[in-house]
Amino acid sequence: MPTDPIGVLSSPSVITRCPSNPVLSAKDIPYEASLIFNAGVCKYQGKYVMVFRNDYGKRPNSPHPAATNIGIAYSDDGVNWEVQDKPCFDLKDEEISRGYDPRLTVLDGKVYMCFAIDTRHGVRGGIAVTEDFEDFEILCTTVPDNRNMVLFPELVGGNYVRLERPFPVYSRGGPPHRFDVWYSDSPDCRYWGNTQLVLGTEDVPFCNDKIGPAAPPIKTAKGWLTTFHSVDSDPERGKNGWEASWQKRYCAGIMLLDLNEPWKVVAMSKQPLIAPEAPYETDGGFRNDVIFPGGMILEDSGEVKIYYGAADTLECLVTAHVDDLLALCDSPRR
């Protein structure tokens, strides 16, 4: 089923790209590294903490890196990062080929890390918990195929709450894929259920392919301020990166979820929050035109820092005031 191209998209004036972008790249890593992106970021014990996806090595006769691990960096200001001398998470065994795309949530004095794993039997999502970023206890992993999980920073109704994006094999009559954002909750962060649809691709005007969760939500008086990623495809894009053909564009969207019933969308912006426009987002990357948020921090001043992977190659930062982000979410879903 063909889809109409979306056309030109732009970011709103309320966001400011960090002048230091990219804030982290392969040249900053003291071990083998090629692509540094899709990081999770939080504030923990007086420091900004970033765990980042590192793709490295080369496959024979392929532009794709051979392996992936998860590195860690610390910062005093959220802009200048000190990378540690070795990865902090490298999940691999006979079944699992790699772990990647971490997201961090601080909850009850501990850090929970959502992550994806590629396995011999499909893509799965997992949640681990740590207090020192050296020892991780894996609490749960999903059945295939599911990933892009993010955990809320508070219990809601006494339950842990997460957003996720399943990949149903039959999709919804695709292509296009039409993968959506879903909600689940848990009494112990191990056993999950009460799964409900949060947002469908048809609800997002700047999407014609798929959507998924992005950074863990932040709490405001008006609701859970929540980012998501959206994908639109255009066959005219052709070669748009290192691969023979890359026809997709990833943008960041933003919505507001109900504080007590987080599967309900209160409002959302009908335009992207971040569209690929800067040169480091649109040119010279592994996959150009990709924006993929993985971390969002609300400062006491009201400033919101949003960290995102750019072109599947670099880690970048935009800032905005929380009131301006809330004002973007002025369109009721229904």
Side-chain angles (χ1 to χ4, degrees):
M1 182 186 302
T3 57
D4 294 329
I6 295 297
V8 176
L9 295 172
S10 59
S11 310
S13 60
V14 302
I15 68 161
T16 300
R17 286 172 169 82
C18 179
S20 300
N21 276 346
V23 295
L24 202 70
S25 64
K27 65 179 177 59
D28 303 312
I29 312 305
Y31 45 86
E32 186 178 5
S34 299
L35 308 171
I36 305 302
F37 62 112
N38 292 7
V41 186
C42 69
K43 291 180 80 170
Y44 184 64
Q45 295 181 346
K47 289 273 190 178
Y48 293 86
V49 184
M50 176 190 290
V51 291
F52 55 88
R53 171 177 171 171
N54 170 37
D55 288 2
Y56 63 96
K58 293 184 178 180
R59 295 184 192 176
N61 304 314
S62 171
H64 291 265
T68 302
N69 55 38
I70 293 175
I72 185 168
Y74 295 94
S75 174
D76 291 323
D77 59 8
V79 176
N80 300 288
W81 295 89
E82 181 179 346
V83 182
Q84 302 304 289
D85 61 3
K86 63 181 180 180
C88 69
F89 194 78
D90 194 1
L91 195 60
K92 195 177 299 181
D93 58 26
E94 291 184 357
E95 171 68 11
I96 298 170
S97 59
R98 64 173 182 165
Y100 57 100
D101 287 1
R103 323 283 177 89
L104 297 181
T105 298
V106 179
L107 181 58
D108 293 335
K110 299 179 180 180
V111 180
Y112 291 77
M113 184 175 75
C114 297
F115 56 92
I117 49 176
D118 286 349
T119 79
R120 293 192 303 128
H121 295 89
V123 178
R124 304 172 67 185
I127 301 176
V129 63
T130 185
E131 295 182 65
D132 57 12
F133 295 98
E134 295 181 4
D135 296 314
F136 290 85
E137 178 188 1
I138 295 178
L139 302 175
C140 63
T141 53
T142 68
V143 297
D145 284 305
N146 194 359
R147 72 176 184 194
N148 295 142
M149 299 190 314
V150 298
L151 192 67
F152 284 57
E154 292 183 13
L155 303 186
V156 179
N159 288 321
Y160 294 85
V161 172
R162 77 184 185 198
L163 302 177
E164 56 200 350
R165 202 273 300 285
F167 292 87
V169 65
Y170 292 109
S171 185
R172 290 199 273 137
H177 301 300
R178 303 298 188 194
F179 300 136
D180 311 303
V181 176
W182 291 76
Y183 160 100
S184 293
D185 59 35
S186 168
D188 55 9
C189 210
R190 295 181 184 272
Y191 301 98
W192 293 83
N194 191 30
T195 302
Q196 302 183 59
L197 177 66
V198 176
L199 189 69
T201 56
E202 66 274 12
D203 299 315
V204 182
F206 46 94
C207 169
N208 66 12
D209 194 310
K210 59 184 177 180
I211 58 173
I218 57 177
K219 190 177 185 180
T220 75
K222 294 185 177 181
W224 294 104
L225 192 60
T226 306
T227 54
F228 60 92
H229 67 267
S230 70
V231 182
D232 72 281
S233 296
D234 185 344
E236 296 300 318
R237 291 194 178 111
K239 182 172 174 57
N240 196 29
W242 297 2
E243 295 180 302
S245 178
W246 177 247
Q247 300 174 354
K248 297 179 181 179
R249 172 176 53 186
Y250 279 63
C251 294
I254 192 161
M255 61 183 171
L256 200 61
L257 304 180
D258 187 89
L259 286 175
N260 300 312
E261 298 176 310
W263 59 90
K264 294 183 177 180
V265 179
V266 176
M268 64 171 285
S269 173
K270 298 299 185 183
Q271 301 296 325
L273 173 64
I274 313 171
E277 297 166 302
Y280 47 82
E281 300 162 355
T282 62
D283 300 299
F286 181 74
R287 289 171 170 165
N288 293 327
D289 294 329
V290 173
I291 301 289
F292 200 91
M296 182 163 58
I297 294 174
L298 174 60
E299 306 286 12
D300 292 339
S301 64
E303 180 188 68
V304 178
K305 291 182 171 71
I306 301 174
Y307 296 87
Y308 65 98
D312 278 2
T313 305
L314 308 161
E315 188 64 24
C316 297
L317 167 66
V318 300
T319 58
H321 196 278
V322 65
D323 291 342
D324 292 330
L325 295 178
L326 290 170
L328 290 177
C329 301
D330 60 358
S331 301
R333 180 179 173 186
R334 296 182 179 86

